[in-house]
Amino acid sequence: MFKPIRFIPDDTKIRFMLWSRYGYFASGIACLASILLFVFVGLNYGVDFKGGTVFVIRTEQPANLDELRSKVNSLGFGDAELQEFGTGGHEVLIRLPTIEGGEDVQRNVQTKVKEILGAGVEYLSIDVVGPKVSGELAEWSIFAVLIAIIGILIYIWFRFEWQFAIATVMSLLHDVLLSIGFFILIKIEFNLQLIAALLTIVGYSLNDTVVVFDRVREYLRKYKQMPLADLIDFSVNSVLPRTLLTSVTTLLALISLYIFGGEVLKGFTLAMIWGVCVATYSSIFSAASLLALLGVNRDAIQVGGAPEAAKAKTGDKVSRKPAPARP
């Protein structure tokens, strides 16, 4: 008989609460740095948010970016941004700033660019986003993230207690801030794909955090006299294998997608890789330990556990493991 391989022992006794004070300090510094980067450096907004025209072309011969940039800039439509992608140097992404005017002006821009680049260029896609549309996209993107966080706050409040809701939202804001700081540091283009990545990171972090909180609530009902800090350590250690293995398998899939998924998906997958790492860290070190700072109303938790107590009285089997010794 083959025994299952255990990469992480089941009976870890890591003192997360002891290390959490250093985690608060490191997270605070990182969040402050992200805010300063956002204020003084800013995101590298893509065409979705600042408007403009994007050409994706493929050339017969390996592209000469300097020559292409010189040709496009000579049209007088503003400074063009060129980015080579793919293998072999044949695919190039050209961004032009917003040109004021209606559809006729935009068609004229596309015609002029095609004329100046000449034959031997295949146009894979041409996207035009006007300033009004880009402004609406930015507003709705911020609205989507805020609605998601407020909805999570309300859900966790009803599902657990207000202390759990506040800790969850603080953990999610931590993940979002660090992700934005990462986007600014690597100068990745901030577009609608990254908004989707941010919302996915929020969902992933929430899932991890709820698993930990559910175990904390279960142990609050079971070990009524255990000190809260010890109970949180015990809860996080009990779900540690599940949390780490889920993150590792998710990262493996994302890394494969980053390597083989093509240039179009690289921004999204890179954001997700960072987000999964940050979400795993926050669910282990920040979210649960915040409960110790906010305090937990054990009486309210016990009221929620009344059905289990009633089952015990009526003879239903309830697990009654002895409380673990303090590590």
Side-chain angles (χ1 to χ4, degrees):
M1 294 292 289
F2 292 100
K3 293 183 178 179
I5 301 174
R6 294 196 176 279
F7 295 100
I8 303 169
D10 289 332
D11 56 348
T12 56
K13 296 179 181 177
I14 302 172
R15 303 292 300 273
F16 291 105
M17 289 301 297
L18 181 65
W19 292 100
S20 63
R21 67 191 69 176
Y22 304 107
Y24 293 147
F25 180 75
S27 295
I29 294 293
C31 288
L32 180 62
S34 296
I35 294 171
L36 292 176
L37 281 172
F38 181 76
V39 172
F40 294 106
V41 179
L43 288 160
N44 177 25
Y45 291 106
V47 68
D48 294 333
F49 295 110
K50 64 181 182 182
T53 306
V54 177
F55 299 81
V56 180
I57 65 171
R58 179 184 291 133
T59 57
E60 292 179 349
Q61 303 297 325
N64 184 329
L65 293 186
D66 291 335
E67 182 182 351
L68 289 174
R69 184 180 291 106
S70 175
K71 285 182 177 179
V72 176
N73 284 342
S74 68
L75 295 172
F77 295 138
D79 291 335
E81 299 176 15
L82 277 73
Q83 181 181 353
E84 186 180 290
F85 65 94
T87 57
H90 293 270
E91 287 84 18
V92 179
L93 187 145
I94 303 172
R95 296 188 189 87
L96 283 175
T98 302
I99 309 296
E100 297 292 341
E103 293 183 2
D104 292 340
V105 174
Q106 305 307 326
R107 275 197 293 270
N108 183 52
V109 171
Q110 296 174 29
T111 302
K112 293 287 186 184
V113 170
K114 289 180 179 178
E115 287 177 357
I116 199 73
L117 295 182
V121 174
E122 179 185 358
Y123 293 85
L124 303 178
S125 68
I126 301 176
D127 295 319
V128 180
V129 180
K132 182 180 178 182
V133 174
S134 62
E136 290 178 355
L137 288 174
E139 291 173 5
W140 281 105
S141 299
I142 295 171
F143 187 66
V145 175
L146 290 178
I147 286 295
I149 292 178
I150 292 172
I152 289 166
L153 174 68
I154 296 171
Y155 168 74
I156 297 295
W157 196 323
F158 279 97
R159 180 88 159 71
F160 297 91
E161 296 294 327
W162 68 266
Q163 298 91 341
F164 291 81
I166 298 296
T168 302
V169 169
M170 289 178 70
S171 176
L172 295 182
L173 289 176
H174 164 272
D175 298 346
V176 170
L177 280 176
L178 292 196
S179 297
I180 289 175
F182 177 71
F183 299 159
I184 298 173
L185 274 181
I186 63 173
K187 298 180 180 177
I188 191 172
E189 183 180 302
F190 190 74
N191 51 28
L192 290 180
Q193 281 191 1
L194 292 199
I195 291 292
L198 276 179
L199 290 173
T200 311
I201 291 167
V202 166
Y204 185 89
S205 178
L206 174 67
N207 182 55
D208 260 0
T209 304
V210 166
V211 169
V212 175
F213 282 179
D214 205 44
R215 188 58 57 91
V216 171
R217 184 176 60 175
E218 177 188 344
Y219 286 168
L220 280 170
R221 292 169 179 169
K222 189 177 289 185
Y223 305 120
K224 300 176 183 177
Q225 302 303 320
M226 183 185 289
L228 185 58
D230 294 341
L231 188 140
I232 290 173
D233 278 344
F234 186 42
S235 303
V236 176
N237 276 292
S238 68
V239 298
L240 189 62
R242 178 263 176 207
T243 301
L244 292 182
L245 289 177
T246 301
S247 299
V248 170
T249 51
T250 306
L251 284 173
L252 288 175
L254 288 171
I255 291 171
S256 299
L257 196 60
Y258 179 79
I259 295 173
F260 303 109
E263 189 69 25
V264 176
L265 292 176
K266 279 198 172 181
F268 177 82
T269 50
L270 186 60
M272 282 298 304
I273 289 170
W274 171 260
V276 169
C277 295
V278 171
T280 304
Y281 160 79
S282 67
S283 64
I284 292 174
F285 279 97
S286 302
S289 58
L290 281 172
L291 291 177
L293 293 179
L294 296 170
V296 175
N297 185 355
R298 285 180 178 250
D299 293 335
I301 298 293
Q302 302 310 324
V303 170
E308 282 75 5
K311 287 180 182 178
K313 288 180 180 178
T314 56
D316 289 350
K317 292 183 178 179
V318 176
S319 174
R320 294 185 180 281
K321 293 180 181 178
R326 182 171 179 167

